Short mmCIF file of all heavy atoms in Angstrom, two decimals:
data_model
loop_
_atom_site.label_atom_id
_atom_site.label_comp_id
_atom_site.label_asym_id
_atom_site.label_seq_id
_atom_site.Cartn_x
_atom_site.Cartn_y
_atom_site.Cartn_z
N MET A 160 0.81 -1.19 0.00
CA MET A 160 0.00 0.00 0.00
C MET A 160 0.85 1.25 0.00
O MET A 160 0.43 2.26 -0.55
CB MET A 160 -0.92 0.00 1.21
CG MET A 160 -2.09 -0.95 1.06
SD MET A 160 -3.38 -0.82 2.33
CE MET A 160 -2.60 -0.15 3.72
N SER A 161 2.01 1.18 0.62
CA SER A 161 2.84 2.39 0.66
C SER A 161 3.24 2.83 -0.75
O SER A 161 3.25 4.02 -1.04
CB SER A 161 4.07 2.18 1.53
OG SER A 161 4.89 1.16 1.02
N ARG A 162 3.54 1.88 -1.63
CA ARG A 162 3.90 2.22 -3.01
C ARG A 162 2.74 2.91 -3.72
O ARG A 162 2.92 3.90 -4.43
CB ARG A 162 4.31 0.95 -3.76
CG ARG A 162 4.74 1.18 -5.18
CD ARG A 162 6.17 1.67 -5.25
NE ARG A 162 6.19 3.05 -5.72
CZ ARG A 162 7.18 3.91 -5.54
NH1 ARG A 162 8.25 3.53 -4.87
NH2 ARG A 162 7.14 5.11 -5.99
N LEU A 163 1.53 2.39 -3.51
CA LEU A 163 0.34 2.99 -4.11
C LEU A 163 0.16 4.42 -3.61
O LEU A 163 -0.10 5.33 -4.40
CB LEU A 163 -0.90 2.16 -3.79
CG LEU A 163 -2.24 2.76 -4.22
CD1 LEU A 163 -2.33 2.88 -5.74
CD2 LEU A 163 -3.38 1.93 -3.69
N MET A 164 0.31 4.63 -2.31
CA MET A 164 0.13 5.97 -1.75
C MET A 164 1.19 6.94 -2.27
O MET A 164 0.90 8.10 -2.50
CB MET A 164 0.09 5.91 -0.24
CG MET A 164 -1.12 5.16 0.26
SD MET A 164 -1.58 5.69 1.88
CE MET A 164 -3.13 4.83 2.06
N ILE A 165 2.39 6.45 -2.46
CA ILE A 165 3.44 7.29 -3.04
C ILE A 165 3.09 7.63 -4.48
O ILE A 165 3.14 8.79 -4.89
CB ILE A 165 4.81 6.59 -2.96
CG1 ILE A 165 5.26 6.49 -1.51
CG2 ILE A 165 5.85 7.29 -3.82
CD1 ILE A 165 6.43 5.56 -1.27
N ASP A 166 2.71 6.60 -5.26
CA ASP A 166 2.36 6.81 -6.66
C ASP A 166 1.19 7.77 -6.83
O ASP A 166 1.14 8.57 -7.76
CB ASP A 166 2.02 5.49 -7.35
CG ASP A 166 3.21 4.58 -7.51
OD1 ASP A 166 4.36 5.04 -7.29
OD2 ASP A 166 3.00 3.39 -7.84
N GLU A 167 0.22 7.69 -5.91
CA GLU A 167 -0.98 8.54 -5.97
C GLU A 167 -0.77 9.88 -5.28
O GLU A 167 -1.69 10.68 -5.16
CB GLU A 167 -2.17 7.81 -5.37
CG GLU A 167 -2.58 6.56 -6.14
CD GLU A 167 -3.12 6.85 -7.52
OE1 GLU A 167 -3.77 7.91 -7.70
OE2 GLU A 167 -2.90 6.04 -8.43
N LYS A 168 0.44 10.12 -4.78
CA LYS A 168 0.82 11.40 -4.16
C LYS A 168 -0.02 11.76 -2.93
O LYS A 168 -0.37 12.92 -2.71
CB LYS A 168 0.79 12.53 -5.19
CG LYS A 168 1.52 12.18 -6.48
CD LYS A 168 2.47 13.25 -6.89
CE LYS A 168 3.17 12.99 -8.20
NZ LYS A 168 3.75 11.73 -8.45
N VAL A 169 -0.33 10.74 -2.12
CA VAL A 169 -1.02 10.99 -0.85
C VAL A 169 0.02 11.58 0.11
O VAL A 169 1.09 10.99 0.30
CB VAL A 169 -1.60 9.68 -0.27
CG1 VAL A 169 -2.20 9.91 1.11
CG2 VAL A 169 -2.64 9.09 -1.22
N PRO A 170 -0.28 12.74 0.71
CA PRO A 170 0.69 13.35 1.63
C PRO A 170 1.06 12.40 2.78
O PRO A 170 0.20 11.69 3.31
CB PRO A 170 -0.05 14.58 2.17
CG PRO A 170 -1.07 14.90 1.12
CD PRO A 170 -1.48 13.56 0.54
N VAL A 171 2.32 12.39 3.15
CA VAL A 171 2.81 11.50 4.20
C VAL A 171 1.99 11.64 5.49
O VAL A 171 1.65 10.64 6.13
CB VAL A 171 4.31 11.78 4.49
CG1 VAL A 171 4.80 10.99 5.69
CG2 VAL A 171 5.15 11.48 3.26
N CYS A 172 1.62 12.85 5.84
CA CYS A 172 0.88 13.08 7.08
C CYS A 172 -0.53 12.48 7.06
O CYS A 172 -1.13 12.30 8.10
CB CYS A 172 0.82 14.57 7.40
SG CYS A 172 -0.05 15.56 6.15
N GLU A 173 -1.05 12.13 5.88
CA GLU A 173 -2.40 11.56 5.77
C GLU A 173 -2.40 10.04 5.62
O GLU A 173 -3.43 9.39 5.80
CB GLU A 173 -3.12 12.17 4.56
CG GLU A 173 -3.40 13.64 4.71
CD GLU A 173 -4.11 14.22 3.51
OE1 GLU A 173 -4.70 13.45 2.72
OE2 GLU A 173 -4.06 15.45 3.34
N ARG A 174 -1.27 9.44 5.31
CA ARG A 174 -1.22 8.01 4.98
C ARG A 174 -1.61 7.10 6.13
O ARG A 174 -2.31 6.12 5.94
CB ARG A 174 0.17 7.63 4.48
CG ARG A 174 0.49 8.27 3.16
CD ARG A 174 1.88 7.93 2.69
NE ARG A 174 2.21 8.79 1.56
CZ ARG A 174 3.40 8.92 1.04
NH1 ARG A 174 4.41 8.21 1.54
NH2 ARG A 174 3.61 9.73 0.04
N GLU A 175 -1.18 7.40 7.34
CA GLU A 175 -1.46 6.52 8.49
C GLU A 175 -2.95 6.44 8.80
O GLU A 175 -3.43 5.41 9.26
CB GLU A 175 -0.69 7.00 9.72
CG GLU A 175 -0.83 6.06 10.90
CD GLU A 175 0.04 6.47 12.06
OE1 GLU A 175 1.19 6.91 11.83
OE2 GLU A 175 -0.45 6.38 13.20
N ASN A 176 -3.69 7.50 8.53
CA ASN A 176 -5.12 7.53 8.86
C ASN A 176 -6.02 7.34 7.65
O ASN A 176 -7.24 7.48 7.76
CB ASN A 176 -5.46 8.85 9.56
CG ASN A 176 -4.77 8.95 10.90
OD1 ASN A 176 -4.77 8.00 11.68
ND2 ASN A 176 -4.14 10.08 11.15
N TRP A 177 -5.44 7.02 6.49
CA TRP A 177 -6.24 6.83 5.27
C TRP A 177 -7.07 5.56 5.44
O TRP A 177 -6.57 4.52 5.85
CB TRP A 177 -5.32 6.70 4.07
CG TRP A 177 -6.01 7.00 2.78
CD1 TRP A 177 -6.74 6.12 2.02
CD2 TRP A 177 -6.06 8.24 2.10
NE1 TRP A 177 -7.23 6.75 0.91
CE2 TRP A 177 -6.82 8.07 0.93
CE3 TRP A 177 -5.53 9.50 2.36
CZ2 TRP A 177 -7.06 9.09 0.03
CZ3 TRP A 177 -5.77 10.50 1.46
CH2 TRP A 177 -6.53 10.30 0.32
N PRO A 178 -8.38 5.60 5.12
CA PRO A 178 -9.21 4.40 5.29
C PRO A 178 -8.84 3.31 4.28
O PRO A 178 -8.43 3.60 3.15
CB PRO A 178 -10.62 4.92 5.03
CG PRO A 178 -10.45 6.14 4.21
CD PRO A 178 -9.12 6.73 4.61
N VAL A 179 -8.98 2.07 4.71
CA VAL A 179 -8.74 0.90 3.87
C VAL A 179 -9.87 -0.08 4.13
O VAL A 179 -10.21 -0.36 5.28
CB VAL A 179 -7.39 0.24 4.19
CG1 VAL A 179 -7.19 -1.04 3.40
CG2 VAL A 179 -6.24 1.21 3.94
N ILE A 180 -10.48 -0.60 3.07
CA ILE A 180 -11.53 -1.61 3.20
C ILE A 180 -10.90 -2.94 2.83
O ILE A 180 -10.36 -3.10 1.73
CB ILE A 180 -12.73 -1.27 2.31
CG1 ILE A 180 -13.32 0.07 2.75
CG2 ILE A 180 -13.77 -2.39 2.36
CD1 ILE A 180 -14.37 0.62 1.83
N ALA A 181 -10.96 -3.90 3.77
CA ALA A 181 -10.30 -5.19 3.59
C ALA A 181 -11.22 -6.33 4.00
O ALA A 181 -12.21 -6.13 4.69
CB ALA A 181 -9.02 -5.24 4.42
N THR A 182 -10.86 -7.53 3.55
CA THR A 182 -11.61 -8.73 3.93
C THR A 182 -11.17 -9.17 5.32
O THR A 182 -10.20 -8.64 5.88
CB THR A 182 -11.35 -9.88 2.94
OG1 THR A 182 -9.99 -10.32 3.10
CG2 THR A 182 -11.60 -9.48 1.51
N GLU A 183 -11.86 -10.18 5.83
CA GLU A 183 -11.49 -10.73 7.14
C GLU A 183 -10.11 -11.40 7.09
O GLU A 183 -9.50 -11.65 8.11
CB GLU A 183 -12.54 -11.72 7.64
CG GLU A 183 -12.73 -12.96 6.80
CD GLU A 183 -13.65 -12.78 5.60
OE1 GLU A 183 -14.24 -11.69 5.40
OE2 GLU A 183 -13.78 -13.74 4.82
N LYS A 184 -9.60 -11.66 5.89
CA LYS A 184 -8.27 -12.24 5.71
C LYS A 184 -7.22 -11.17 5.43
O LYS A 184 -6.11 -11.47 4.99
CB LYS A 184 -8.29 -13.24 4.55
CG LYS A 184 -9.18 -14.43 4.80
CD LYS A 184 -9.20 -15.35 3.60
CE LYS A 184 -10.18 -16.48 3.82
NZ LYS A 184 -10.30 -17.32 2.61
N ASP A 185 -7.58 -9.91 5.66
CA ASP A 185 -6.69 -8.76 5.44
C ASP A 185 -6.29 -8.56 3.98
O ASP A 185 -5.24 -8.00 3.69
CB ASP A 185 -5.44 -8.83 6.33
CG ASP A 185 -5.76 -8.61 7.80
OD1 ASP A 185 -6.73 -7.89 8.08
OD2 ASP A 185 -5.05 -9.17 8.64
N GLU A 186 -7.15 -9.01 3.05
CA GLU A 186 -6.93 -8.72 1.64
C GLU A 186 -7.55 -7.36 1.34
O GLU A 186 -8.72 -7.14 1.63
CB GLU A 186 -7.60 -9.78 0.77
CG GLU A 186 -7.05 -11.17 0.98
CD GLU A 186 -7.90 -12.23 0.29
OE1 GLU A 186 -9.12 -12.27 0.53
OE2 GLU A 186 -7.32 -13.00 -0.48
N VAL A 187 -6.78 -6.45 0.82
CA VAL A 187 -7.26 -5.10 0.55
C VAL A 187 -8.24 -5.13 -0.62
O VAL A 187 -7.92 -5.65 -1.70
CB VAL A 187 -6.09 -4.14 0.25
CG1 VAL A 187 -6.60 -2.77 -0.15
CG2 VAL A 187 -5.18 -4.03 1.46
N LEU A 188 -9.44 -4.61 -0.39
CA LEU A 188 -10.46 -4.52 -1.44
C LEU A 188 -10.47 -3.14 -2.08
O LEU A 188 -10.62 -3.02 -3.29
CB LEU A 188 -11.85 -4.80 -0.87
CG LEU A 188 -12.10 -6.22 -0.38
CD1 LEU A 188 -13.46 -6.28 0.30
CD2 LEU A 188 -12.02 -7.20 -1.52
N LEU A 189 -10.32 -2.12 -1.26
CA LEU A 189 -10.48 -0.76 -1.76
C LEU A 189 -9.77 0.21 -0.84
O LEU A 189 -9.82 0.07 0.38
CB LEU A 189 -11.98 -0.42 -1.81
CG LEU A 189 -12.38 0.96 -2.27
CD1 LEU A 189 -12.08 1.14 -3.75
CD2 LEU A 189 -13.86 1.18 -2.03
N ILE A 190 -9.11 1.16 -1.44
CA ILE A 190 -8.57 2.30 -0.70
C ILE A 190 -9.34 3.49 -1.24
O ILE A 190 -9.08 3.96 -2.35
CB ILE A 190 -7.05 2.44 -0.92
CG1 ILE A 190 -6.34 1.16 -0.48
CG2 ILE A 190 -6.52 3.65 -0.16
CD1 ILE A 190 -4.86 1.14 -0.77
N PRO A 191 -10.37 3.95 -0.48
CA PRO A 191 -11.25 5.01 -0.98
C PRO A 191 -10.49 6.23 -1.46
O PRO A 191 -9.53 6.68 -0.84
CB PRO A 191 -12.11 5.36 0.24
CG PRO A 191 -12.11 4.09 1.05
CD PRO A 191 -10.73 3.52 0.86
N GLY A 192 -10.92 6.72 -2.61
CA GLY A 192 -10.29 7.89 -3.20
C GLY A 192 -9.10 7.55 -4.08
O GLY A 192 -8.58 8.40 -4.79
N LEU A 193 -8.63 6.30 -4.01
CA LEU A 193 -7.49 5.91 -4.84
C LEU A 193 -7.96 4.91 -5.89
O LEU A 193 -8.41 5.28 -6.94
CB LEU A 193 -6.35 5.35 -3.99
CG LEU A 193 -5.78 6.31 -2.94
CD1 LEU A 193 -4.61 5.69 -2.20
CD2 LEU A 193 -5.37 7.63 -3.56
N ARG A 194 -7.88 3.61 -5.59
CA ARG A 194 -8.32 2.63 -6.59
C ARG A 194 -8.70 1.32 -5.91
O ARG A 194 -8.19 1.00 -4.85
CB ARG A 194 -7.27 2.42 -7.66
CG ARG A 194 -5.98 1.84 -7.16
CD ARG A 194 -5.02 1.60 -8.31
NE ARG A 194 -4.18 2.76 -8.49
CZ ARG A 194 -2.92 2.70 -8.89
NH1 ARG A 194 -2.39 1.55 -9.18
NH2 ARG A 194 -2.21 3.79 -9.02
N PRO A 195 -9.58 0.55 -6.56
CA PRO A 195 -9.96 -0.76 -6.01
C PRO A 195 -8.93 -1.83 -6.36
O PRO A 195 -8.14 -1.66 -7.29
CB PRO A 195 -11.29 -1.05 -6.71
CG PRO A 195 -11.19 -0.33 -8.01
CD PRO A 195 -10.37 0.91 -7.73
N SER A 196 -8.97 -2.93 -5.64
CA SER A 196 -8.10 -4.06 -5.98
C SER A 196 -8.78 -4.89 -7.06
O SER A 196 -9.95 -4.68 -7.40
CB SER A 196 -7.84 -4.93 -4.75
OG SER A 196 -8.88 -5.86 -4.56
N SER A 197 -8.08 -5.88 -7.56
CA SER A 197 -8.65 -6.77 -8.57
C SER A 197 -9.73 -7.66 -7.96
O SER A 197 -10.50 -8.28 -8.69
CB SER A 197 -7.55 -7.62 -9.20
OG SER A 197 -6.92 -8.40 -8.21
N LEU A 198 -9.81 -7.75 -6.63
CA LEU A 198 -10.85 -8.55 -5.97
C LEU A 198 -12.21 -7.83 -5.99
O LEU A 198 -13.23 -8.44 -5.74
CB LEU A 198 -10.47 -8.82 -4.51
CG LEU A 198 -9.20 -9.63 -4.28
CD1 LEU A 198 -8.88 -9.67 -2.79
CD2 LEU A 198 -9.36 -11.02 -4.85
N PHE A 199 -12.20 -6.55 -6.30
CA PHE A 199 -13.40 -5.72 -6.27
C PHE A 199 -13.96 -5.57 -7.68
O PHE A 199 -13.24 -5.41 -8.63
CB PHE A 199 -13.05 -4.35 -5.69
CG PHE A 199 -14.21 -3.42 -5.57
CD1 PHE A 199 -15.12 -3.56 -4.56
CD2 PHE A 199 -14.38 -2.40 -6.49
CE1 PHE A 199 -16.19 -2.69 -4.45
CE2 PHE A 199 -15.45 -1.53 -6.39
CZ PHE A 199 -16.36 -1.69 -5.36
N SER A 200 -15.29 -5.62 -7.79
CA SER A 200 -15.93 -5.45 -9.09
C SER A 200 -17.16 -4.56 -8.95
O SER A 200 -17.87 -4.63 -7.96
CB SER A 200 -16.36 -6.81 -9.64
OG SER A 200 -17.11 -6.64 -10.82
N ARG A 201 -17.42 -3.74 -9.94
CA ARG A 201 -18.63 -2.91 -9.95
C ARG A 201 -19.83 -3.69 -10.47
O ARG A 201 -20.94 -3.24 -10.42
CB ARG A 201 -18.41 -1.66 -10.78
CG ARG A 201 -17.39 -0.72 -10.16
CD ARG A 201 -17.39 0.61 -10.88
NE ARG A 201 -16.37 1.49 -10.35
CZ ARG A 201 -16.53 2.28 -9.28
NH1 ARG A 201 -17.66 2.28 -8.64
NH2 ARG A 201 -15.56 3.06 -8.89
N GLU A 202 -19.58 -4.88 -10.99
CA GLU A 202 -20.65 -5.73 -11.53
C GLU A 202 -20.90 -6.90 -10.58
O GLU A 202 -19.96 -7.43 -10.00
CB GLU A 202 -20.24 -6.27 -12.91
CG GLU A 202 -19.94 -5.19 -13.93
CD GLU A 202 -21.13 -4.30 -14.22
OE1 GLU A 202 -22.26 -4.82 -14.29
OE2 GLU A 202 -20.94 -3.08 -14.37
N PRO A 203 -22.18 -7.32 -10.43
CA PRO A 203 -22.48 -8.48 -9.58
C PRO A 203 -21.77 -9.74 -10.10
O PRO A 203 -21.67 -9.94 -11.31
CB PRO A 203 -23.99 -8.64 -9.70
CG PRO A 203 -24.49 -7.38 -10.28
CD PRO A 203 -23.36 -6.76 -11.04
N ARG A 204 -21.27 -10.55 -9.16
CA ARG A 204 -20.62 -11.81 -9.52
C ARG A 204 -21.20 -12.92 -8.65
O ARG A 204 -21.61 -12.67 -7.52
CB ARG A 204 -19.12 -11.72 -9.27
CG ARG A 204 -18.42 -10.69 -10.14
CD ARG A 204 -16.95 -10.64 -9.85
NE ARG A 204 -16.75 -10.18 -8.47
CZ ARG A 204 -15.58 -9.80 -7.98
NH1 ARG A 204 -14.51 -9.83 -8.74
NH2 ARG A 204 -15.47 -9.39 -6.74
N ALA A 205 -21.20 -14.11 -9.18
CA ALA A 205 -21.67 -15.27 -8.40
C ALA A 205 -20.83 -15.38 -7.13
O ALA A 205 -19.62 -15.25 -7.17
CB ALA A 205 -21.54 -16.53 -9.24
N GLY A 206 -21.48 -15.58 -6.02
CA GLY A 206 -20.78 -15.73 -4.76
C GLY A 206 -20.61 -14.45 -3.97
O GLY A 206 -20.23 -14.48 -2.81
N ASP A 207 -20.86 -13.30 -4.59
CA ASP A 207 -20.77 -12.04 -3.85
C ASP A 207 -21.91 -11.97 -2.85
O ASP A 207 -23.06 -12.25 -3.18
CB ASP A 207 -20.86 -10.83 -4.79
CG ASP A 207 -19.57 -10.58 -5.57
OD1 ASP A 207 -18.55 -11.20 -5.22
OD2 ASP A 207 -19.59 -9.77 -6.50
N ASP A 208 -21.61 -11.60 -1.63
CA ASP A 208 -22.65 -11.48 -0.62
C ASP A 208 -22.59 -10.14 0.11
O ASP A 208 -23.01 -10.01 1.23
CB ASP A 208 -22.59 -12.64 0.38
CG ASP A 208 -21.25 -12.70 1.11
OD1 ASP A 208 -20.35 -11.90 0.81
OD2 ASP A 208 -21.13 -13.56 1.99
N TRP A 209 -22.04 -9.13 -0.55
CA TRP A 209 -21.98 -7.79 0.03
C TRP A 209 -22.07 -6.75 -1.07
O TRP A 209 -21.88 -7.05 -2.23
CB TRP A 209 -20.69 -7.60 0.84
CG TRP A 209 -19.43 -7.90 0.07
CD1 TRP A 209 -18.83 -9.10 -0.08
CD2 TRP A 209 -18.66 -6.97 -0.70
NE1 TRP A 209 -17.71 -8.98 -0.88
CE2 TRP A 209 -17.59 -7.69 -1.27
CE3 TRP A 209 -18.77 -5.61 -0.94
CZ2 TRP A 209 -16.64 -7.07 -2.07
CZ3 TRP A 209 -17.82 -5.01 -1.75
CH2 TRP A 209 -16.76 -5.73 -2.29
N VAL A 210 -22.38 -5.55 -0.65
CA VAL A 210 -22.50 -4.43 -1.58
C VAL A 210 -21.75 -3.24 -1.00
O VAL A 210 -21.85 -2.94 0.18
CB VAL A 210 -23.99 -4.03 -1.77
CG1 VAL A 210 -24.11 -2.79 -2.63
CG2 VAL A 210 -24.78 -5.17 -2.36
N LEU A 211 -20.99 -2.57 -1.83
CA LEU A 211 -20.31 -1.35 -1.42
C LEU A 211 -20.96 -0.19 -2.15
O LEU A 211 -21.07 -0.21 -3.37
CB LEU A 211 -18.81 -1.40 -1.78
CG LEU A 211 -18.03 -0.12 -1.52
CD1 LEU A 211 -17.95 0.15 -0.03
CD2 LEU A 211 -16.65 -0.21 -2.13
N ILE A 212 -21.41 0.79 -1.40
CA ILE A 212 -22.03 1.97 -1.99
C ILE A 212 -21.09 3.14 -1.77
O ILE A 212 -20.73 3.45 -0.65
CB ILE A 212 -23.40 2.25 -1.35
CG1 ILE A 212 -24.33 1.07 -1.58
CG2 ILE A 212 -23.99 3.55 -1.90
CD1 ILE A 212 -25.63 1.15 -0.83
N GLU A 213 -20.68 3.77 -2.86
CA GLU A 213 -19.80 4.92 -2.77
C GLU A 213 -20.64 6.19 -2.82
O GLU A 213 -21.56 6.29 -3.62
CB GLU A 213 -18.82 4.94 -3.94
CG GLU A 213 -17.84 3.81 -3.94
CD GLU A 213 -16.93 3.89 -5.13
OE1 GLU A 213 -15.87 4.54 -5.02
OE2 GLU A 213 -17.29 3.31 -6.16
N HIS A 214 -20.33 7.13 -1.95
CA HIS A 214 -21.02 8.41 -1.94
C HIS A 214 -19.97 9.51 -1.97
O HIS A 214 -19.06 9.53 -1.15
CB HIS A 214 -21.87 8.55 -0.68
CG HIS A 214 -22.52 9.88 -0.55
ND1 HIS A 214 -23.58 10.26 -1.32
CD2 HIS A 214 -22.23 10.93 0.25
CE1 HIS A 214 -23.93 11.50 -0.99
NE2 HIS A 214 -23.12 11.91 -0.04
N HIS A 215 -20.09 10.39 -2.94
CA HIS A 215 -19.14 11.49 -3.08
C HIS A 215 -19.91 12.79 -2.90
O HIS A 215 -20.87 13.07 -3.61
CB HIS A 215 -18.48 11.48 -4.46
CG HIS A 215 -17.74 10.22 -4.74
ND1 HIS A 215 -16.44 10.04 -4.37
CD2 HIS A 215 -18.13 9.06 -5.33
CE1 HIS A 215 -16.03 8.83 -4.73
NE2 HIS A 215 -17.06 8.22 -5.32
N GLU A 216 -19.49 13.57 -1.91
CA GLU A 216 -20.13 14.86 -1.69
C GLU A 216 -19.38 15.94 -2.43
O GLU A 216 -18.15 15.92 -2.53
CB GLU A 216 -20.12 15.20 -0.19
CG GLU A 216 -21.08 14.36 0.60
CD GLU A 216 -21.19 14.85 2.03
OE1 GLU A 216 -21.00 16.06 2.26
OE2 GLU A 216 -21.47 14.03 2.89
N ASN A 217 -20.14 16.88 -2.96
CA ASN A 217 -19.53 18.03 -3.60
C ASN A 217 -19.22 19.03 -2.50
O ASN A 217 -20.11 19.59 -1.88
CB ASN A 217 -20.49 18.64 -4.63
CG ASN A 217 -19.87 19.80 -5.37
OD1 ASN A 217 -18.76 20.23 -5.06
ND2 ASN A 217 -20.58 20.30 -6.35
N THR A 218 -17.93 19.23 -2.23
CA THR A 218 -17.54 20.12 -1.13
C THR A 218 -17.25 21.55 -1.63
O THR A 218 -16.91 22.40 -0.83
CB THR A 218 -16.30 19.57 -0.41
OG1 THR A 218 -15.25 19.40 -1.36
CG2 THR A 218 -16.62 18.24 0.26
N GLN A 219 -17.41 21.77 -2.92
CA GLN A 219 -17.18 23.10 -3.45
C GLN A 219 -18.44 23.95 -3.27
O GLN A 219 -19.54 23.49 -3.53
CB GLN A 219 -16.81 23.04 -4.93
CG GLN A 219 -15.51 22.31 -5.18
CD GLN A 219 -15.21 22.22 -6.66
OE1 GLN A 219 -16.00 22.59 -7.50
NE2 GLN A 219 -14.03 21.71 -6.98
N LYS A 220 -18.25 25.17 -2.84
CA LYS A 220 -19.38 26.08 -2.65
C LYS A 220 -19.67 26.82 -3.95
O LYS A 220 -18.75 27.24 -4.64
CB LYS A 220 -19.10 27.07 -1.53
CG LYS A 220 -18.99 26.39 -0.18
CD LYS A 220 -18.79 27.41 0.92
CE LYS A 220 -18.71 26.71 2.24
NZ LYS A 220 -18.58 27.67 3.33
N ALA A 221 -20.94 26.97 -4.24
CA ALA A 221 -21.33 27.72 -5.43
C ALA A 221 -21.09 29.21 -5.18
O ALA A 221 -21.24 29.72 -4.07
CB ALA A 221 -22.79 27.47 -5.74
N ASP A 222 -20.73 29.93 -6.21
CA ASP A 222 -20.50 31.37 -6.09
C ASP A 222 -21.80 32.14 -6.09
O ASP A 222 -22.77 31.83 -6.63
CB ASP A 222 -19.61 31.88 -7.23
CG ASP A 222 -18.19 31.36 -7.08
OD1 ASP A 222 -17.78 31.11 -5.93
OD2 ASP A 222 -17.51 31.23 -8.10
#
């Protein structure tokens, strides 16, 4: 994960507290705001028993 955070230019001071979504076996599924792993799919697959819903808020104020 450290290589990914470096490549994605995540500031060092934010890396330790960056959220990570992982399986019970500690396999990384998603690092929000960066990229999903190959274990993650946006399409339903046989055997999937969970759903991840992404919500992005617009934090920019209108003029």
Side-chain angles (χ1 to χ4, degrees):
M160 284 189 336
S161 62
R162 182 80 248 160
L163 173 64
M164 294 206 171
I165 291 167
D166 292 349
E167 296 293 327
K168 311 229 183 313
V169 175
V171 173
C172 62
E173 294 180 19
R174 293 178 192 169
E175 186 174 320
N176 295 314
W177 201 275
V179 175
I180 298 171
T182 69
E183 64 277 357
K184 296 177 185 176
D185 290 330
E186 298 170 307
V187 175
L188 294 173
L189 179 69
I190 302 175
L193 300 183
R194 63 177 92 146
S196 85
S197 60
L198 298 173
F199 182 77
S200 173
R201 293 191 183 275
E202 301 299 321
R204 296 179 296 193
D207 284 349
D208 60 357
W209 55 273
V210 175
L211 174 67
I212 299 172
E213 294 179 89
H214 175 74
H215 301 273
E216 288 188 28
N217 183 355
T218 57
Q219 297 177 354
K220 294 183 179 183
D222 290 332

